[in-house]
Amino acid sequence: MYPARYESWFATESQELDSQSSCASPILDLDQISYDLDHASWTHNPTLSPIDINARSLDDSINPDTSVLFSTTLPSSIHPTGTQSDASDTAIIPFSDDSDTLPLEPDILLKSNTPADLMRLFSANLIQRRAGTHRWEIECPDCKAWIKTTLPTQILSNLDAPGYFNTLSDHRQGKKCLKGRNQADSSPSLSAASSSASSISLHFTPSDTSHAINACPGVPIHWPVPGPSFLETFPVGRASAGQGVLLFDIDTRGNIPCAYSQNCAGATTTSMSPCSGCTEVVGFIEHLLSLAQDTKPHTKYRFLSHSDMVNVARQYSAENNRLKLKGLNDARRVLHILTQLDDYKSLIMALSENNIPRLQHILTVALKRGSSIRQIINTLEDSLAALPSLRTLQAHQNFTSITPTIGPITPDQLDSNIKNLLLNPLSDSSLPRRGYSVLMDKIALEERASHHRASNSVIGLCHSHSHLVDPSLHTYDSALRIAEKLAEGKIHLGKEMSVIAVGSFGDDEIFPVLAAPTCKCEDSEKMISIFMLIRDRWKETGAEEKLGPIFSFATDGDSTWRAAGHRLFLKTELSMTSKLYGTLSHMQGLNLATGEGEITLDFDYKHIFKRWCTLLRNRKGMKLVNGHTVNRAVLARYLSWLPDQDETSILKLLNPDDPQDVPRAIELMQAIITLSKNEFDTMTMSVGECADIAAIKILGAVLESILLPFIDVTLSLHQQIAHLSRYEHLTFTFFHLHRSAFMPHVLYYDSQTMVKNACFCIAKQQKLDGSQKFWLIQTGDDRLEKLFGITRMRGQHNSAMNYSQALDRIGAAKDIDTVFKKHPDLESGSRRLKITHVEGLDHIRCDLWVGDVVASHCDLPSVWKDGRDKALTVLTDAHVSAVCCAFNEFFLQDGCDLMRPWGENKYLGITSDIDGHGIESSVNSASGLPILSESILVAGPTSVEEETELDEDVLTLEEALTHDVAFGSPNIDHTIPSTSHPDTPVLVSGPGINPDDYLLVHGKYIHKETICRRVLNKYFIAKSLNRQERVYSTGFTKVNCQRELPGRSITGSDTFIIGDVFLTIIRINLTVTIALVRSTSIEHHSITCHDILASNIRTPDVKLTGQILTLIPMHQPAEQRSWLWTGDYVKTRSEIQGIKQTTEKVVEITVPGLLVELVNPETTCVRMRDDINSDKFFALNNLRNTWIIKELTLSLACDTLWRNACEHSISIKNILHIPTPSDPSMFPYALPDGSVGIVCIEASQQLAAAELGPLDDCPLCGVKTDSMRAHIGIHILRASHGIKETLKEEVGLTYPCRFCGQSGRNECKIQIKVSSKGSVSLETHCPYFHVFRYANADIGSKNRPSRNVPLKCELCHPSLTPVTGKKSCAESGFVDAVWRYNMIQHLDDVHPQYAHPKNPTGHPLPLDILNTFTLTSLEQRDTSIPESQWLMPLFDSDDDKENQPGPSTRKRKNKNTGNMNAKKARKSA
């Protein structure tokens, strides 16, 4: 294979076997990868790089500077200067065709000492280099010291840049080099060597030999080893001798690497073949190739290539991971074994320490079942605790079973449930006399019908309409009849289940007495009948006598139930003979309306908490104190002042994922209460911040009054009612001031009703048995919500259920709830209904309450007065006017109380309207029932699906039913003889099979449940298990949907935030003036945001909403005068709907950013000024700091904003207009003499001209009018119909002029020109002519319905159609026009052959011509034309928009959408 002298280059077989031990090491030793190489022994060619792929042609001559990748010495036949060692025997090798010489002058280059010159010396091999420890080093030619370069030794690159020689240049100029130069006297001088070398050319001259000498091309290395590259797969270690030095050279600059022997002659006489010395390397390279292609596993690392080493490293990494995984598995296995050992130890301890009854039987049964040790231990623990088994419970325990509602709700269903669930179980127990509350709520159902075996009926049909069909399943036709009614929409499947339960005050246990499926179509009349039925059956069954009377009916706030409860339980005033009258009549302001049996209506307090938080999270917020707005943005700004709140927590409070999350709602309320109780340094706060904090303090007092009675377990019943009394009076005051701007009518009604019911129930319990405790937390329907939570839990991960499943689950939930009441430690609770998010703490139970809640210990009249006094204290501190707090005067009015703030026996919020701005209700003194609007008695719109064809569907269903027999039918016993027709199959029988559960369908028996599934539930669609998705899919919008831009830091000087003030111009009457506005909302690109950059405000995409501040001037000269904010806002009178009373309402405006001028007013203290009347600043905060702004600033801003409006073409009518304030002296800002302080004169003049218009005298009647065209048109139209008028001049008989009404005048002749684009031009010389907008006049309006405009008669002057290939026809000139009201006369005179509304005979007119002069109903009605003389238009309909207003910014929906040819050309004159 290779010469014998190369045998020492390779390791022997024994040496290779010695490396097996190292290969078996489980840990990769990186030291084995590094080669034991001596870098100092290398001679590396700086001009050659391992990544240099420039090919060297074999025809090229050998350059003396050409080197190889690795080499100990240059080939012996080549001298560094470029000559052969034996010049006498060997001819000179030519390397260049250039005969010119390039002399090198080392002395000059050394003297210049530039990096470029030093690099030239290095390129001529006059400066040596070596591999240092970390960097390449070059030898100084003066002191012979080795100087480090910046090139690391790991980079095998050429020193081909002058920058590498900067260190040598600096070194030769230093003292260290000078000292070393003096000490190196014996060293050979470079200049001497260079002088001898200077005479030698750095090239070879051509020889005159007769034989051609070629350069040795070396041995090409063909390396078919798979891998990234040749250098990475070449085993350098195998070609090394001891110190890792290659015994041959490799040139990698070409496409194919070449090898050069150490004994390479450098030249050869044979073209394209290596010299004799390089030929000896061929066998050696072939042997290396065979070893590289077949690497043995036991090969030492030093003999592997780089690619092989990478594979070895990956193998060890994979092995390491495998061992780690094995260790983790072993650890888990050991832990499992240890756990089993612990279980065995526990079993042994249980057997040794306890006397377990029937131990052998328990162990035998457990082992037969294959129970684990843990299960056996649990069974033994149950045995020790004497817990019965499931079989024992089924044999001896009566489980709750609710009678289903099949068809309408009947007394028998209620009687059965009341007796079975309440009277029978509680008959033997001696219960104290307590009042009971009827709880009402709904739970979602899947709209699926099912078969009820006991009654042989279909259940799941809504109780409101199921009386329209027989639900019994006697035959298959019965199922088809029910399916037909469902398809017709006459009956419905239940969407929800209305559950009504009864629970006592004093016991948390509740008892469902009714569970009926509903389609949510009940009206208040239907619910009243259900309420009355429950009330009557409670008495008739004896439950009232044995258990106690019904105190209240509680609901969650359903609008239909609210309306029904209002009509039934606010029916009559409390009688003076009642036992309760002596107590409740002394509670001034308390509403005393009750129902029969003194039953009151109640609402759940947790739902009120959630609705309060919905109001707080609203963008509009609420008005407090003197009209100050507190909304979501204001709360977000100031909640960050709390130490335990950050941006993330505030975002969760104000934008929760689930708005129905009770803990989150209570957390928000508590955070506001904490903020309101903090003490702030008002001296360092701005005026706006002081006003905001004052409003938040009021809000905190209101929220504290309603929240603490239900969550503070230390409060006594006396303290709870005191808080609720304070809440009643505070909300009454602010609702009386701001109405729905403070809170929705419905929320006000519900919260006031809740407090009223609590007072009534306590008074009733005092008369019934005052020694009993009364827990306020048992009001509302929260206990029923808990029962629903357990009901959903019964479905495991699938909470969806149909009516049949819901009955079973709610019965099981009742049993589970009974266990939880006896063992509260077993209950984990429901997260969404908890008071807090703390795990393990569910609803605040009665046994956790530590305050005194004995009913007789609460004196209602005194505690009521105590709460009112506390409310007065809060209102006085808030600087609320004493007139607004005169409760004594308010409640002395007839029919005025806390639930009827304005008297007149009117209740607010009793409508189905969500925002509570609907019609109020009152109590009819004659009938005793509250009078409700008709909208209350009608439920919301219901979606009725389109009728479906059943002919083909029935056949398909029958085929599907019979097809299922082969797969799901029970076995048929053919031994039973048939008693019917021979073609009838035998009855179904078998173990556990009831033949009555099957119906015969086309010769096959089908189970009735299958029929229900296939026939009645054919179009069933499962509801989402996500409650929020179910709510939003029905069309409800997420109230707290976050559509806000992320806020920036409010500390920036260029940021405008909510609460900052700005200036804008507005219209009031005929005056355009300036207004200082405090922002309450910012809208950018239709998205609300908390702040915005000041530079982005003045754009059309920005809208600012705010309240106008009231300003009063100082007693100063006009040029020095300033205006101060009184702390109040501009208000206007607003009528209360249904009542002949008005209240003040804060004016809130929205203006575009183009009409906004930012301002930063200064702060001043009212107490420190003697040039103002301080009595007018009563609405300010206690510090009496306010804003002050100069009149010059207001005037300049007013003029600037008007110029902006003109520049952006904003018309005077588009500037915001506000109604007259309730106090006209407050706005427009008035001077002490009553005149307007700041007025934009130019804008006001334009406004007056636009509003009043030019008033001209009518030439016919003499009346002044601002629209002569419309006025004269009325006269002309009346004259054409023969209606007589008293006029100075009569209307012309033939073709009267629209401007003057006269006929026969040449100057009144009018001509028209219609361009190809549709624009209209008119020419007339009538003296009464005035410019008008043709497009608006052609459409008309409600105020000016006359549409008398000049028309071009298409019969006289037909329009030419465009010529083919041209865009349009040539435009015609002016032609004679005909006024619209004269068109019929023109047809009679010029075109008598055509028919029209007054001449029915003749050829029909083209429709487009007929429509041009047809009159509308509004035109003829406005001119007082009798309907008998009306000209009936073809399109006449009051619903049609024949008289639309002129162009506006709002887009109208075109009825001809989709018809491009219906587009009408725009006309203008």
Side-chain angles (χ1 to χ4, degrees):
M1 282 299 285
Y2 47 87
R5 56 178 178 156
Y6 295 139
E7 291 181 358
S8 60
W9 290 6
F10 301 97
T12 61
E13 182 178 359
S14 61
Q15 292 174 342
E16 292 184 350
L17 293 175
D18 292 340
S19 64
Q20 294 180 0
S21 58
S22 61
C23 294
S25 176
I27 301 177
L28 180 61
D29 188 2
L30 297 178
D31 294 338
Q32 298 180 10
I33 302 178
S34 61
Y35 302 122
D36 187 12
L37 303 177
D38 185 6
H39 299 287
S41 62
W42 291 359
T43 301
H44 188 276
N45 188 350
T47 63
L48 189 59
S49 172
I51 61 173
D52 186 5
I53 60 173
N54 295 326
R56 187 184 70 178
S57 175
L58 296 179
D59 296 334
D60 295 341
S61 303
I62 298 296
N63 192 315
D65 290 336
T66 301
S67 186
V68 292
L69 183 60
F70 294 101
S71 177
T72 53
T73 61
L74 292 174
S76 56
S77 59
I78 302 296
H79 191 270
T81 59
T83 59
Q84 294 183 358
S85 58
D86 191 359
S88 59
D89 300 334
T90 307
I92 299 177
I93 302 176
F95 74 99
S96 175
D97 295 336
D98 189 1
S99 58
D100 298 332
T101 60
L102 296 176
L104 184 65
E105 299 179 358
D107 292 338
I108 298 177
L109 297 179
L110 289 174
K111 187 175 181 180
S112 64
N113 197 33
T114 61
D117 293 338
L118 294 177
M119 185 184 70
R120 293 181 60 189
L121 293 174
F122 172 77
S123 301
N125 289 332
L126 298 180
I127 296 179
Q128 303 298 324
R129 78 164 175 178
R130 69 177 183 182
T133 307
H134 299 290
R135 301 191 179 274
W136 290 100
E137 299 176 355
I138 53 180
E139 186 182 20
C140 177
D142 299 331
C143 63
K144 304 303 181 183
W146 290 94
I147 310 303
K148 293 183 179 180
T149 64
T150 58
L151 184 66
T153 54
Q154 290 85 350
I155 300 178
L156 304 179
S157 177
N158 185 19
L159 297 177
D160 53 357
Y164 295 135
F165 297 90
N166 288 336
T167 55
L168 178 59
S169 177
D170 296 339
H171 168 75
R172 296 186 66 243
Q173 297 176 6
K175 297 181 180 180
K176 187 176 180 180
C177 181
L178 180 60
K179 183 178 179 181
R181 191 183 314 163
N182 297 332
Q183 294 178 356
D185 295 333
S186 59
S187 300
S189 175
L190 180 61
S191 60
S194 61
S195 61
S196 60
S198 61
S199 60
I200 306 176
S201 298
L202 295 180
H203 73 287
F204 297 103
T205 57
S207 174
D208 294 335
T209 177
S210 60
H211 299 282
I213 304 298
N214 298 315
C216 178
V219 179
I221 302 176
H222 299 281
W223 198 255
V225 178
S229 63
F230 166 76
L231 295 175
E232 293 185 74
T233 57
F234 185 77
V236 181
R238 291 194 177 275
S240 304
Q243 300 298 324
V245 180
L246 289 175
L247 299 182
F248 57 91
D249 305 322
I250 301 177
D251 184 5
T252 60
R253 292 181 297 175
N255 294 330
I256 301 176
C258 298
Y260 295 91
S261 173
Q262 293 279 340
N263 300 324
C264 178
T268 177
T269 58
T270 306
S271 177
M272 300 300 294
S273 61
C275 64
S276 58
C278 294
T279 306
E280 299 178 356
V281 186
V282 174
F284 176 71
I285 293 176
E286 293 177 352
H287 183 67
L288 287 177
L289 177 60
S290 62
L291 294 177
Q293 291 177 337
D294 186 16
T295 305
K296 304 299 181 183
H298 56 270
T299 304
K300 288 184 177 182
Y301 298 145
R302 62 189 300 266
F303 295 140
L304 297 177
S305 64
H306 178 269
S307 179
D308 294 336
M309 291 301 300
V310 171
N311 295 332
V312 171
R314 289 174 178 171
Q315 292 175 3
Y316 279 114
S317 178
E319 179 67 15
N320 188 25
N321 293 335
R322 186 187 66 81
L323 293 176
K324 287 181 180 180
L325 181 60
K326 183 176 181 299
L328 294 175
N329 292 333
D330 293 341
R332 293 189 60 183
R333 191 178 297 109
V334 170
L335 181 61
H336 178 69
I337 294 174
L338 293 177
T339 304
Q340 284 185 332
L341 292 176
D342 292 339
D343 292 340
Y344 280 109
K345 290 180 181 179
S346 300
L347 177 61
I348 295 174
M349 294 296 295
L351 296 177
S352 62
E353 295 180 358
N354 300 280
N355 186 14
I356 303 174
R358 303 184 65 188
L359 176 62
Q360 183 178 0
H361 176 72
I362 293 175
L363 295 177
T364 302
V365 173
L367 293 176
K368 286 183 178 180
R369 293 177 178 176
S371 303
S372 63
I373 298 298
R374 174 49 55 188
Q375 292 175 334
I376 294 176
I377 295 175
N378 293 337
T379 305
L380 296 178
E381 291 176 351
D382 294 342
S383 178
L384 289 174
L387 294 178
S389 64
L390 180 61
R391 181 176 300 177
T392 304
L393 290 175
Q394 292 174 347
H396 301 87
Q397 179 68 25
N398 292 326
F399 291 99
T400 301
S401 177
I402 301 176
T403 303
T405 300
I406 305 174
I409 300 174
T410 61
D412 295 337
Q413 300 173 10
L414 293 172
D415 294 348
S416 175
N417 289 328
I418 292 175
K419 292 179 181 178
N420 296 333
L421 300 180
L422 280 98
L423 297 180
N424 295 338
L426 302 178
S427 59
D428 299 335
S429 59
S430 57
L431 297 176
R433 295 285 293 173
R434 293 171 177 167
Y436 280 77
S437 176
V438 178
L439 317 178
M440 303 172 291
D441 208 340
K442 298 177 182 179
I443 187 171
L445 292 179
E446 286 192 332
E447 299 176 44
R448 287 189 291 143
S450 57
H451 174 246
H452 188 249
R453 175 183 294 181
S455 61
N456 189 29
S457 303
V458 175
I459 60 174
L461 304 177
C462 69
H463 68 87
S464 300
H465 307 95
S466 56
H467 63 279
L468 300 176
V469 69
D470 183 10
S472 301
L473 278 182
H474 299 297
T475 62
Y476 179 61
D477 292 335
S478 302
L480 295 180
R481 190 178 305 109
I482 297 174
E484 183 179 358
K485 295 294 182 181
L486 286 173
E488 293 175 354
K490 295 182 178 180
I491 61 174
H492 315 92
L493 294 172
K495 299 178 180 179
E496 293 181 346
M497 182 173 66
S498 298
V499 180
I500 298 180
V502 178
S504 67
F505 292 104
D507 187 4
D508 284 337
E509 189 173 5
I510 61 173
F511 305 90
V513 296
L514 179 65
T518 172
C519 61
K520 303 174 66 174
C521 294
E522 304 97 336
D523 54 15
S524 59
E525 293 290 346
K526 180 69 175 180
M527 295 310 304
I528 287 175
S529 63
I530 296 176
F531 292 168
M532 295 176 61
L533 181 62
I534 295 173
R535 181 195 62 192
D536 296 340
R537 300 322 302 166
W538 184 261
K539 293 182 179 180
E540 296 296 333
T541 55
E544 180 175 348
E545 180 182 356
K546 296 179 181 179
L547 302 178
I550 293 178
F551 281 178
S552 63
F553 273 66
T555 177
D556 61 347
D558 182 83
S559 59
T560 305
W561 290 1
R562 180 189 298 108
H566 177 82
R567 297 186 61 185
L568 189 61
F569 303 124
L570 281 85
K571 187 175 182 181
T572 57
E573 293 288 332
L574 186 66
S575 174
M576 294 185 181
T577 60
S578 172
K579 296 179 180 180
L580 306 178
Y581 189 83
T583 301
L584 300 179
S585 61
H586 290 83
M587 302 172 67
Q588 190 180 30
L590 183 68
N591 182 272
L592 299 181
T594 63
E596 184 178 342
E598 298 176 349
I599 299 176
T600 54
L601 183 63
D602 189 18
F603 293 96
D604 183 54
Y605 61 91
K606 288 187 178 179
H607 283 79
I608 293 178
F609 292 167
K610 293 185 290 187
R611 288 156 63 186
W612 254 106
C613 291
T614 300
L615 175 62
L616 296 173
R617 293 161 180 158
N618 198 311
R619 179 179 62 87
K620 294 184 178 180
M622 61 177 63
K623 301 292 189 295
L624 289 166
V625 198
N626 57 338
H628 196 84
T629 299
V630 176
N631 54 18
R632 176 176 55 194
V634 174
L635 293 176
R637 177 180 179 182
Y638 293 102
L639 284 176
S640 61
W641 291 10
L642 295 176
D644 57 341
Q645 297 291 341
D646 54 13
E647 183 179 355
T648 303
S649 61
I650 295 174
L651 184 64
K652 291 181 179 179
L653 292 178
L654 298 178
N655 295 283
D657 296 332
D658 185 7
Q660 303 297 323
D661 193 346
V662 176
R664 195 73 68 191
I666 294 177
E667 186 179 353
L668 174 60
M669 298 171 72
Q670 289 176 327
I672 297 175
I673 295 172
T674 303
L675 179 64
S676 66
K677 292 181 176 297
N678 283 2
E679 296 295 335
F680 300 101
D681 185 9
T682 55
M683 298 297 295
T684 60
M685 296 166 54
S686 65
V687 177
E689 291 174 343
C690 291
D692 291 337
I693 292 299
I696 290 176
K697 287 185 177 296
I698 296 294
L699 177 60
V702 174
L703 296 180
E704 183 184 34
S705 302
I706 192 175
L707 180 63
L708 288 187
F710 297 97
I711 68 171
D712 190 352
V713 298
T714 62
L715 295 181
S716 63
L717 190 59
H718 181 97
Q719 295 171 323
Q720 289 176 300
I721 300 301
H723 278 85
L724 293 179
S725 174
R726 186 174 77 158
Y727 172 81
E728 289 271 277
H729 290 86
L730 288 176
T731 53
F732 171 83
T733 302
F734 294 120
F735 189 78
H736 196 273
L737 283 173
H738 308 296
R739 290 163 47 193
S740 60
F742 168 63
M743 65 190 309
H745 293 176
V746 174
L747 178 57
Y748 179 80
Y749 177 88
D750 291 355
S751 59
Q752 294 284 347
T753 303
M754 178 194 68
V755 179
K756 166 195 169 182
N757 172 74
C759 297
F760 265 81
C761 290
I762 294 174
K764 294 174 187 176
Q765 188 61 48
Q766 289 176 347
K767 303 302 180 183
L768 190 64
D769 186 358
S771 63
Q772 297 297 321
K773 294 183 177 181
F774 185 89
W775 285 277
L776 199 63
I777 58 177
Q778 289 185 334
T779 58
D781 67 340
D782 183 55
R783 290 179 286 177
L784 189 56
E785 289 280 2
K786 292 177 60 179
L787 186 66
F788 286 169
I790 303 175
T791 302
R792 298 185 185 95
M793 182 189 68
R794 295 292 300 159
Q796 301 294 331
H797 296 287
N798 184 10
S799 59
M801 50 190 168
N802 59 14
Y803 180 61
S804 177
Q805 295 171 330
L807 291 175
D808 296 338
R809 292 185 185 181
I810 201 170
K814 169 64 182 64
D815 298 330
I816 296 174
D817 186 61
T818 303
V819 176
F820 285 161
K821 298 301 181 292
K822 296 180 180 179
H823 304 279
D825 55 309
L826 299 178
E827 185 178 9
S828 60
S830 174
R831 181 195 62 80
R832 287 180 53 248
L833 299 177
K834 290 182 181 180
I835 295 297
T836 64
H837 277 112
V838 180
E839 294 297 332
L841 179 61
D842 191 31
H843 306 259
I844 296 180
R845 302 190 304 268
C846 297
D847 56 336
L848 299 177
W849 207 272
V850 298
D852 183 11
V853 293
V854 178
S856 60
H857 294 175
C858 178
D859 184 30
L860 288 175
S862 63
V863 72
W864 186 261
K865 184 178 181 300
D866 185 23
R868 187 184 67 177
D869 295 340
K870 293 180 179 178
L872 285 173
T873 303
V874 174
L875 295 173
T876 303
D877 295 340
H879 293 266
V880 178
S881 175
V883 178
C884 303
C885 307
F887 298 119
N888 294 330
E889 298 180 5
F890 286 146
F891 300 142
L892 288 177
Q893 300 177 15
D894 184 25
C896 179
D897 53 40
L898 291 170
M899 294 186 65
R900 296 171 291 185
W902 290 280
E904 299 187 17
N905 213 17
K906 297 290 183 178
Y907 292 87
L908 301 179
I910 310 303
T911 65
S912 59
D913 196 2
I914 295 176
D915 58 3
H917 297 281
I919 301 176
E920 296 77 15
S921 64
S922 62
V923 177
N924 189 337
S925 58
S927 64
L929 282 174
I931 302 175
L932 304 180
S933 68
E934 296 182 358
S935 61
I936 304 173
L937 308 180
V938 181
T942 57
S943 59
V944 180
E945 296 182 358
E946 297 181 358
E947 297 184 1
T948 54
E949 298 292 337
L950 295 179
D951 297 337
E952 297 181 0
D953 292 344
V954 171
L955 295 177
T956 305
L957 289 171
E958 293 171 357
E959 294 174 356
L961 289 171
T962 56
H963 177 72
D964 286 345
V965 175
F967 301 97
S969 303
N971 296 326
I972 299 178
D973 188 358
H974 297 279
T975 60
I976 300 178
S978 176
T979 58
S980 59
H981 193 271
D983 296 336
T984 302
V986 295
L987 294 176
V988 180
S989 63
I993 297 176
N994 185 0
D996 295 336
D997 293 341
Y998 293 83
L999 290 178
L1000 185 63
V1001 181
H1002 290 278
K1004 295 183 179 180
Y1005 283 102
I1006 308 298
H1007 198 282
K1008 294 180 179 179
E1009 188 65 36
T1010 303
I1011 294 177
C1012 291
R1013 177 170 57 87
R1014 289 286 187 174
V1015 178
L1016 304 183
N1017 305 329
K1018 178 182 179 182
Y1019 302 103
F1020 165 72
I1021 299 177
K1023 294 182 179 180
S1024 171
L1025 300 181
N1026 188 332
R1027 182 187 59 82
Q1028 297 185 40
E1029 291 183 1
R1030 294 199 304 271
V1031 173
Y1032 301 150
S1033 64
T1034 58
F1036 292 99
T1037 303
K1038 188 175 181 181
V1039 177
N1040 64 319
C1041 181
Q1042 183 184 7
R1043 298 183 64 239
E1044 298 183 355
L1045 296 175
R1048 291 174 291 272
S1049 174
I1050 64 175
T1051 59
S1053 58
D1054 60 344
T1055 302
F1056 181 87
I1057 65 175
I1058 291 180
D1060 288 348
V1061 294
F1062 62 91
L1063 293 171
T1064 186
I1065 53 175
I1066 56 179
R1067 294 186 294 125
I1068 177 169
N1069 299 327
L1070 296 179
T1071 304
V1072 177
T1073 182
I1074 195 74
L1076 182 63
V1077 186
R1078 190 164 192 260
S1079 62
T1080 59
S1081 175
I1082 303 173
E1083 187 173 331
H1084 191 200
H1085 293 291
S1086 301
I1087 300 177
T1088 58
C1089 50
H1090 292 172
D1091 55 79
I1092 187 174
L1093 293 176
S1095 58
N1096 296 336
I1097 290 181
R1098 296 178 182 86
T1099 60
D1101 301 325
V1102 175
K1103 294 181 180 180
L1104 298 184
T1105 303
Q1107 301 166 263
I1108 304 176
L1109 279 62
T1110 57
L1111 303 179
I1112 60 175
M1114 298 172 58
H1115 302 295
Q1116 294 176 341
E1119 63 274 3
Q1120 300 178 1
R1121 187 163 45 225
S1122 298
W1123 297 74
L1124 285 80
W1125 178 41
T1126 64
D1128 208 345
Y1129 301 92
V1130 176
K1131 301 180 178 68
T1132 185
R1133 304 303 298 182
S1134 175
E1135 183 179 354
I1136 303 174
Q1137 197 169 9
I1139 304 177
K1140 297 179 180 180
Q1141 296 185 24
T1142 59
T1143 60
E1144 287 189 333
K1145 180 180 180 181
V1146 177
V1147 177
E1148 195 164 14
I1149 63 174
T1150 300
V1151 295
L1154 295 174
L1155 297 181
V1156 168
E1157 190 69 29
L1158 302 184
V1159 64
N1160 186 18
E1162 299 178 355
T1163 303
T1164 185
C1165 182
V1166 177
R1167 295 177 179 176
M1168 305 299 294
R1169 307 190 69 94
D1170 55 358
D1171 51 358
I1172 56 174
N1173 184 6
S1174 60
D1175 294 338
K1176 296 184 178 181
F1177 296 86
F1178 179 79
L1180 282 178
N1181 50 67
N1182 293 329
L1183 189 62
R1184 294 299 180 94
N1185 286 344
T1186 186
W1187 280 313
I1188 181 173
I1189 185 170
K1190 294 183 178 299
E1191 183 173 318
L1192 179 61
T1193 303
L1194 297 176
S1195 301
L1196 292 177
C1198 185
D1199 296 338
T1200 302
L1201 291 172
W1202 173 244
R1203 287 197 301 269
N1204 292 342
C1206 296
E1207 291 175 359
H1208 293 87
S1209 301
I1210 300 176
S1211 65
I1212 190 68
K1213 291 294 187 69
N1214 290 334
I1215 296 178
L1216 181 68
H1217 176 267
I1218 65 170
T1220 304
S1222 55
D1223 186 0
S1225 63
M1226 289 292 97
F1227 195 83
Y1229 301 138
L1231 297 174
D1233 59 358
S1235 60
V1236 180
I1238 298 95
V1239 179
C1240 184
I1241 299 177
E1242 180 183 353
S1244 299
Q1245 292 176 350
Q1246 291 191 17
L1247 178 61
E1251 291 290 339
L1252 301 179
L1255 298 179
D1256 298 326
D1257 295 335
C1258 175
L1260 301 180
C1261 64
V1263 176
K1264 290 185 176 295
T1265 178
D1266 60 342
S1267 178
M1268 190 65 66
R1269 176 189 57 82
H1271 183 78
I1272 295 295
I1274 295 176
H1275 292 311
I1276 296 175
L1277 204 56
R1278 288 175 179 174
S1280 64
H1281 285 75
I1283 300 177
K1284 298 296 183 179
E1285 292 184 279
T1286 303
L1287 304 174
K1288 294 189 305 179
E1289 293 188 18
E1290 296 296 330
V1291 179
L1293 298 178
T1294 58
Y1295 303 105
C1297 175
R1298 197 269 296 177
F1299 295 111
C1300 62
Q1302 302 299 317
S1303 302
R1305 295 181 178 180
N1306 293 328
E1307 61 268 20
C1308 293
K1309 181 180 179 181
I1310 188 169
Q1311 290 186 323
I1312 188 173
K1313 175 183 177 182
V1314 181
S1315 67
S1316 58
K1317 296 182 179 180
S1319 62
V1320 177
S1321 301
L1322 302 176
E1323 279 190 0
T1324 182
H1325 299 286
C1326 179
Y1328 291 93
F1329 169 79
H1330 61 269
V1331 179
F1332 65 94
R1333 184 170 295 179
Y1334 189 95
N1336 291 353
D1338 188 32
I1339 296 175
S1341 64
K1342 291 183 178 180
N1343 296 329
R1344 296 171 180 174
S1346 176
R1347 301 186 304 126
N1348 192 15
V1349 294
L1351 303 175
K1352 186 183 75 167
C1353 178
E1354 292 294 336
L1355 299 176
C1356 299
H1357 311 283
S1359 299
L1360 299 178
T1361 57
V1363 180
T1364 305
K1366 295 185 179 181
K1367 294 183 178 180
S1368 63
C1369 62
E1371 294 186 1
S1372 60
F1374 283 94
V1375 297
D1376 291 338
V1378 181
W1379 293 100
R1380 172 172 281 146
Y1381 292 171
N1382 301 334
M1383 196 65 184
I1384 292 180
Q1385 188 176 1
H1386 173 74
L1387 292 175
D1388 291 338
D1389 295 343
V1390 181
H1391 311 286
Q1393 68 273 22
Y1394 289 100
H1396 52 78
K1398 286 189 176 182
N1399 180 24
T1401 61
H1403 298 290
L1405 279 171
L1407 185 60
D1408 55 344
I1409 299 179
L1410 180 63
N1411 289 339
T1412 57
F1413 65 88
T1414 307
L1415 303 181
T1416 63
S1417 301
L1418 190 58
E1419 282 180 290
Q1420 301 178 85
R1421 186 185 298 114
D1422 185 66
T1423 54
S1424 302
I1425 299 175
E1427 292 190 15
S1428 59
Q1429 300 181 21
W1430 280 13
L1431 300 180
M1432 303 305 296
L1434 299 178
F1435 56 90
D1436 186 32
S1437 174
D1438 289 337
D1439 296 333
D1440 292 338
K1441 298 181 179 179
E1442 71 274 5
N1443 292 97
Q1444 299 177 357
S1448 63
T1449 56
R1450 298 186 60 184
K1451 296 181 179 179
R1452 298 185 182 91
K1453 184 177 180 181
N1454 187 6
K1455 294 183 179 180
N1456 296 323
T1457 302
N1459 184 3
M1460 300 302 295
N1461 296 326
K1463 184 176 179 181
K1464 198 171 184 180
R1466 180 180 179 271
K1467 299 181 180 180
S1468 61

